[in-house]
Amino acid sequence: MGGAFLAAAVLARLGSRIGLPTIPLFILAGILLGPHTPGVALVDDPHELEMLSLLGLVLLLFYLGLEFHMDDLKEGGQKMAVAGAAYLALNVGAGLVFGFLVGWGTSEALVLAGVLGISSSAIVTKVLMDTGRLGNPETKPILGIIVVEDIFLALYLAALQPVISGADSMASAALDAGKAFGFLLLLAVVARWGTAVIGKLIATRDNELLVISFLGAAVFVAGVSEWFGVADAIGAFMVGLMLGSTSSGKKIMELVHPLRDAFGAIFFFAFGLSIDPGDLPSVVWPVLIAVALTLLMNVVAGLVAARIYGFGPRPAANIATALLARGEFALILATMAAGAGLDERLAPFIAGYVLILAVLGPLAAGRSAWLARVLPGGGNPDPDAPAGGGRPEPAAAGR
């Protein structure tokens, strides 16, 4: 574990000197020092870091919830739903068409629809932090799309599991989907009307007690969410959403920063451990086609979301590039596909596709101004865009 932290830190320091984002470097550290690459292997089994990795994902999404206030949902809930639905229709639809054209089978096509259609919440969150765009106007639709994706994800997983495993019980699939939706509804009700009570329960002047309280709440609700068939990440997000609206919200944001950064690095490092570079050559062409298709669909989705919100080309480019990366959800689908005995090409395809977009996404987000120039109206000054592309995040200044 110590070696993982140090390796990620060394590569990130080297990369920062030439302007590279930290996410792909953390992933690269995991690939180079994992069991699938010749040389020194710090970790023989990626599952050894699984709990720490999950904690990193939980903290990343918990922090995102702290940034995303209930007022944002009240004021722009309808626009967020429309933007999220449009993003899913474009990307999941394109993934389904791609899946059938590849010709690996119907169950495989349904898996590929999810792989190509859902962004990585963890990478999107980290990109917004690293680029200093958490305060930008276009961040609200980005976060709204992530929320819609995570709700869709819970229902999609519940429906997909019996299909790819060959189960013929629609009643079982409906029961799983109902459980997931019911728990999501419960979290939404608590977030909407229970904030005052939660604020009183969490409030304390003792930083130690506050850290233990919010960390316990985030991890516990994430675990219960997973038991109900809802992604653990959205459970943590909802806890952050609740606590961010309390009087302790600002203090919690300060205290969670070092935890988020440390365990977030382990999440991306463990992500790299799971990738076997030797499997990639056999699926290189499908991977490249899928990456090109995702790039196109994200640009279209960015333009659609910008139009819904009345933004110009720079925010549209920021939306398109911020949501580009694919990650943890795709890996979950790869595991499900392997367990169901689906086409053996799925696993290396998903690994290669996710690796390219996990690296390309943060790089593209940092250079979204290039895309903005070629979008409709990109040659004109964009009143919606901050001059530097985003405001620096005060708490991350020392990074």
Side-chain angles (χ1 to χ4, degrees):
M1 179 179 164
F5 275 118
L6 289 174
V10 169
L11 273 179
R13 283 173 176 266
L14 292 174
S16 66
R17 297 184 178 224
I18 55 176
L20 290 177
T22 57
I23 295 171
L25 295 169
F26 292 154
I27 295 172
L28 180 61
I31 294 172
L32 294 177
L33 298 172
H36 306 300
T37 306
V40 177
L42 282 180
V43 184
D44 292 325
D45 183 0
H47 293 293
E48 291 178 9
L49 292 181
E50 187 172 12
M51 186 58 69
L52 294 176
S53 170
L54 288 173
L55 181 57
L57 177 62
V58 163
L59 289 172
L60 283 166
L61 270 294
F62 173 71
Y63 185 88
L64 187 63
L66 291 172
E67 283 282 354
F68 196 82
H69 299 296
M70 283 301 298
D71 291 340
D72 297 329
L73 284 175
K74 295 173 191 174
E75 294 170 8
Q78 186 175 356
K79 286 184 177 180
M80 289 176 187
V82 173
Y87 186 90
L88 285 171
L90 287 165
N91 285 274
V92 174
L96 186 62
V97 171
F98 172 82
F100 281 117
L101 290 177
V102 169
W104 293 346
T106 301
S107 294
E108 286 79 359
L110 292 171
V111 170
L112 288 172
V115 171
L116 271 66
I118 307 292
S119 307
S120 166
S121 299
I123 297 180
V124 171
T125 305
K126 191 69 165 57
V127 163
L128 292 173
M129 294 170 189
D130 287 351
T131 55
R133 293 178 186 159
L134 283 173
N136 282 15
E138 72 273 9
T139 296
K140 287 185 180 179
I142 291 172
L143 301 187
I145 289 170
I146 288 177
V147 172
V148 173
E149 282 186 325
D150 281 341
I151 294 171
F152 171 80
L153 183 157
L155 302 176
Y156 178 77
L157 280 179
L160 183 66
Q161 181 61 53
V163 173
I164 67 172
S165 62
D168 52 5
S169 173
M170 291 303 295
S172 175
L175 179 62
D176 289 341
K179 263 179 27 177
F181 185 77
F183 186 69
L184 282 172
L185 190 61
L186 175 63
L187 289 178
V189 168
V190 174
R192 176 65 179 85
W193 288 287
T195 306
V197 175
I198 293 170
K200 291 178 182 178
L201 291 174
I202 200 80
T204 176
R205 294 183 179 180
D206 188 319
N207 286 350
E208 180 183 13
L209 291 179
L210 188 58
V211 169
I212 294 170
S213 299
F214 75 68
L215 187 60
V219 175
F220 179 77
V221 174
V224 174
S225 298
E226 193 171 29
W227 188 79
F228 275 97
V230 176
D232 47 12
I234 197 173
F237 174 87
M238 294 299 291
V239 174
L241 188 67
M242 298 171 200
L243 297 186
S245 301
T246 67
S247 58
S248 304
K250 289 185 178 179
K251 189 64 178 176
I252 292 172
M253 285 186 69
E254 294 174 10
L255 294 172
V256 78
H257 254 287
L259 294 170
R260 179 206 74 188
D261 289 344
F263 290 100
I266 290 296
F267 170 80
F268 295 112
F269 180 87
F271 181 57
L273 290 175
S274 66
I275 294 173
D276 185 352
D279 291 338
L280 305 183
S282 63
V283 290
V284 63
W285 286 113
V287 165
L288 293 178
I289 293 170
V291 167
L293 182 62
T294 303
L295 286 168
L296 175 62
M297 288 298 104
N298 269 260
V299 171
V300 175
L303 288 169
V304 170
R307 186 173 183 82
I308 291 169
Y309 280 83
F311 292 150
R314 176 65 71 83
N318 288 347
I319 293 170
T321 54
L323 292 166
L324 183 59
R326 302 295 187 260
E328 63 279 359
F329 177 55
L331 296 181
I332 292 171
L333 283 174
T335 304
M336 288 174 61
L342 300 188
D343 196 297
E344 293 180 356
R345 290 169 290 188
L346 270 179
F349 169 86
I350 293 172
Y353 172 77
V354 168
L355 176 60
I356 291 175
L357 287 181
V359 173
L360 186 60
L363 291 173
R367 293 156 180 81
S368 60
W370 297 357
L371 174 61
R373 293 193 193 105
V374 300
L375 294 179
N380 301 321
D382 187 354
D384 296 315
R391 289 191 288 265
E393 184 187 357
R399 210 173 16 256

